[in-house]
Amino acid sequence: MLGNFTYHNPTKLYFGKDAMNFLALELLRYGPRVMLIYGGGSIKKNGIYDKVIKTLSDCGKQVFEDPGVMPNPTLDKLREGCRIAKGNDVDLILAVGGGSVVDYAKGVACSAHFDGDPWHEFWEKGALPSGKTIPVGCVLTMVGTGSEMNGGSVITNTEKGMKVGANFGSDNYPRFSILNPEFTYTVPRYQMVAGFYDIMSHIMEQYFSGKDDNTSDYMAEALMRSLVHSSLIAIDNPTDYEARSNIMWTATWALNDAIGCGKSQDWMVHMIGQAVGAHTNATHGMTLSAVSKAYYKTILPYAVEKFKRFAVNVWGVDCAGKDDEAIALEGLSALEDWMKKIGVAMNLSELGVREDMIEDIADSTIIIETSYKTLSRNDVVKVLMDSL
Ligand code: NZQ
Ligand code: ZN
């Protein structure tokens, strides 16, 4: 393991069919005023809302609702949430939904009592909150982002055409998260498979860095193999508990900091994907799948050994009679085959991107230094063009 790291993950997870029974226990730890945040109404259709409201009422809580969090939550909506949280001096924020709802809840929790401009402070500057923040609890209904056990909060600033992730640090991870795989059964297929690809992408973003022998990489390979196996079961039978529960657990470990330990990490697929999202409002996982092939082909020549390892350890590519580059490329083809099987977006045109939008998307892409090949702006344009 290269480098120094600190690992601290304070989120308490309740996992399984009975996980919701622990909500009351957790609610007892907080004051009476609870802000309930949710999305566009799926929780009202599938009955999760009724279960949550009953528990809140049994626990004697005063509930302040903030519904209507959209996929890819916006800064305008965040400001609205801050007014509700601060105006009612809430003791706890309970997020019931997918990554968008949980990200937004963390954003409100850290911004509501902040006197300055939260967008500038937390999303542009990347500062950690130093003042009062509100505890967040989560009931997860959609799998993919890992937001249930991390400090991430991705917000879209529609005025600036930017979609940016803040990381609020371990003091502001959800205090508890309730993970019942059955709650994810009603997720529409498009969202479900986008979530599967998001998980894969989170693992690859951390895996494709460094040249050392690193335990985090072995953990990442195990997670990718489990995801590939279970996702192929889940697309045929979305109510297969074993598959959906394995995927839920994999998603959490894919982005709860563990497999990033001792790794410099990459994250350029997310940077480009988020810029695409800012200009199209497309589903997050699909923005990643659409640009991945072109991106990985770009960096492969600088990391043939790692891509070969990926091919062999994740996809079981047979090395006999092939040179390293051929094996590495076969790994990428196996990834592509799997993407096609689960049915994610394979190019940007599917997401409404046109050639005349490429320059603006490139302008919105935050370029970060990566382990194998740091892209130039021209490289970003080429990846986008090759992904059309
Ligand atoms: O809004 P409702 O009506 O609830 O419908 C949602 C939404 O339309 C629906 N849904 C969720 N659970 C459901 C369900 N429909 C039926 N039954 C259920 N049980 O699914 C749709 C998508 O939900 P959303 O929360 O947007 O999806 P996801 O979990 O993929 O979250 C995406 C957001 O997370 C950010 C993304 O950028 C995007 O904004 N990310 C957050 C990260 C983090 N915190 O670390 C990292 C990720 O890379 C990602 O960037
Ligand atoms: Zn993601």
Side-chain angles (χ1 to χ4, degrees):
M1 304 286 288
L2 291 181
N4 305 298
F5 60 84
T6 303
Y7 183 68
H8 174 222
N9 196 318
T11 303
K12 185 166 191 175
L13 292 181
Y14 296 96
F15 192 96
K17 293 181 185 183
D18 298 331
M20 193 67 164
N21 297 346
F22 294 93
L23 178 59
L25 184 79
E26 283 297 334
L27 290 175
L28 291 176
R29 300 180 203 275
Y30 303 92
R33 304 165 77 81
V34 177
M35 180 166 171
L36 174 62
I37 293 182
Y38 54 98
S42 70
I43 63 165
K44 290 201 168 165
K45 290 190 202 123
N46 58 24
I48 298 172
Y49 174 85
D50 292 340
K51 289 191 181 95
V52 170
I53 287 290
K54 177 164 187 328
T55 308
L56 286 164
S57 141
D58 290 350
C59 294
K61 301 294 179 183
Q62 190 179 358
V63 179
F64 303 90
E65 293 202 17
D66 180 12
V69 178
M70 60 293 277
N72 309 322
T74 62
L75 183 59
D76 289 343
K77 175 70 184 163
L78 184 95
R79 291 199 177 108
E80 199 183 300
C82 289
R83 281 194 290 276
I84 298 172
K86 190 175 181 187
N88 295 293
D89 197 16
V90 299
D91 302 305
L92 173 73
I93 293 179
L94 185 61
V96 184
S100 295
V101 169
V102 185
D103 277 19
Y104 169 87
K106 283 182 261 181
V108 170
C110 294
S111 306
H113 296 284
F114 180 69
D115 287 333
D117 171 5
W119 171 261
H120 178 62
E121 186 75 3
F122 304 128
W123 283 272
E124 275 181 339
K125 262 173 61 185
L128 284 177
S130 53
K132 178 180 172 181
T133 62
I134 304 166
V136 172
C138 152
V139 176
L140 194 68
T141 68
M142 145 105 203
V143 163
T145 63
S147 191
E148 67 274 16
M149 205 183 190
N150 69 36
S153 172
V154 183
I155 296 296
T156 298
N157 183 331
T158 41
E159 221 172 278
K160 293 196 169 175
M162 295 293 289
K163 184 179 182 189
V164 181
N167 192 333
F168 293 121
S170 57
D171 288 347
N172 296 294
Y173 287 17
R175 300 283 176 94
F176 64 90
S177 283
I178 291 178
L179 273 57
N180 180 345
E182 290 181 328
F183 286 2
T184 68
Y185 287 172
T186 52
V187 173
R189 189 183 183 88
Y190 188 84
Q191 300 293 341
M192 177 183 80
V193 298
F196 294 172
Y197 193 77
D198 194 21
I199 302 167
M200 188 58 141
S201 181
H202 293 159
I203 304 171
M204 292 193 294
E205 298 275 29
Q206 294 162 92
Y207 181 77
F208 285 117
S209 61
K211 293 192 163 123
D212 54 323
D213 184 44
N214 190 316
T215 296
S216 295
D217 285 337
Y218 293 89
M219 291 160 71
E221 286 162 356
L223 291 173
M224 286 189 271
R225 289 170 61 170
S226 172
L227 174 66
V228 169
H229 174 77
S230 294
S231 61
L232 294 174
I233 296 169
I235 51 163
D236 284 339
N237 183 6
T239 57
D240 184 302
Y241 183 83
E242 195 170 57
R244 296 304 287 270
S245 57
N246 280 328
I247 294 167
M248 192 171 219
W249 192 223
T250 300
T252 302
W253 281 92
L255 198 50
N256 70 358
D257 303 339
I259 62 164
C261 287
K263 303 279 306 167
S264 56
Q265 312 187 25
D266 187 295
W267 293 104
M268 263 326 283
V269 167
H270 269 68
M271 293 304 107
I272 301 172
Q274 281 174 198
V276 171
H279 287 266
T280 59
N281 199 24
T283 298
H284 171 66
M286 300 303 189
T287 64
L288 309 174
S289 61
V291 301
S292 283
K293 187 178 149 194
Y295 177 69
Y296 287 122
K297 284 220 159 127
T298 307
I299 66 164
L300 182 143
Y302 303 88
V304 172
E305 268 302 310
K306 193 57 175 277
F307 280 88
K308 179 186 170 191
R309 177 176 165 164
F310 174 69
V312 175
N313 291 359
V314 180
W315 302 100
V317 169
D318 179 4
C319 299
K322 298 166 198 159
D323 66 20
D324 287 356
E325 199 183 340
I327 299 163
L329 283 168
E330 215 173 306
L332 282 192
S333 299
L335 170 68
E336 202 182 330
D337 288 348
W338 171 73
M339 290 164 75
K340 286 179 183 156
K341 272 188 202 148
I342 63 169
V344 289
M346 298 305 293
N347 58 60
L348 287 172
S349 311
E350 285 177 54
L351 306 179
V353 176
R354 298 179 316 269
E355 199 174 333
D356 62 0
M357 296 163 70
I358 297 290
E359 291 294 328
D360 286 345
I361 296 175
D363 284 341
S364 303
T365 302
I366 298 167
I367 297 178
I368 45 184
E369 198 177 318
T370 58
S371 182
Y372 299 138
K373 183 192 167 27
T374 300
L375 298 192
S376 64
R377 188 183 177 283
N378 281 349
D379 294 327
V380 172
V381 170
K382 184 162 183 333
V383 168
L384 289 166
M385 288 298 286
D386 290 349
S387 303
L388 270 176

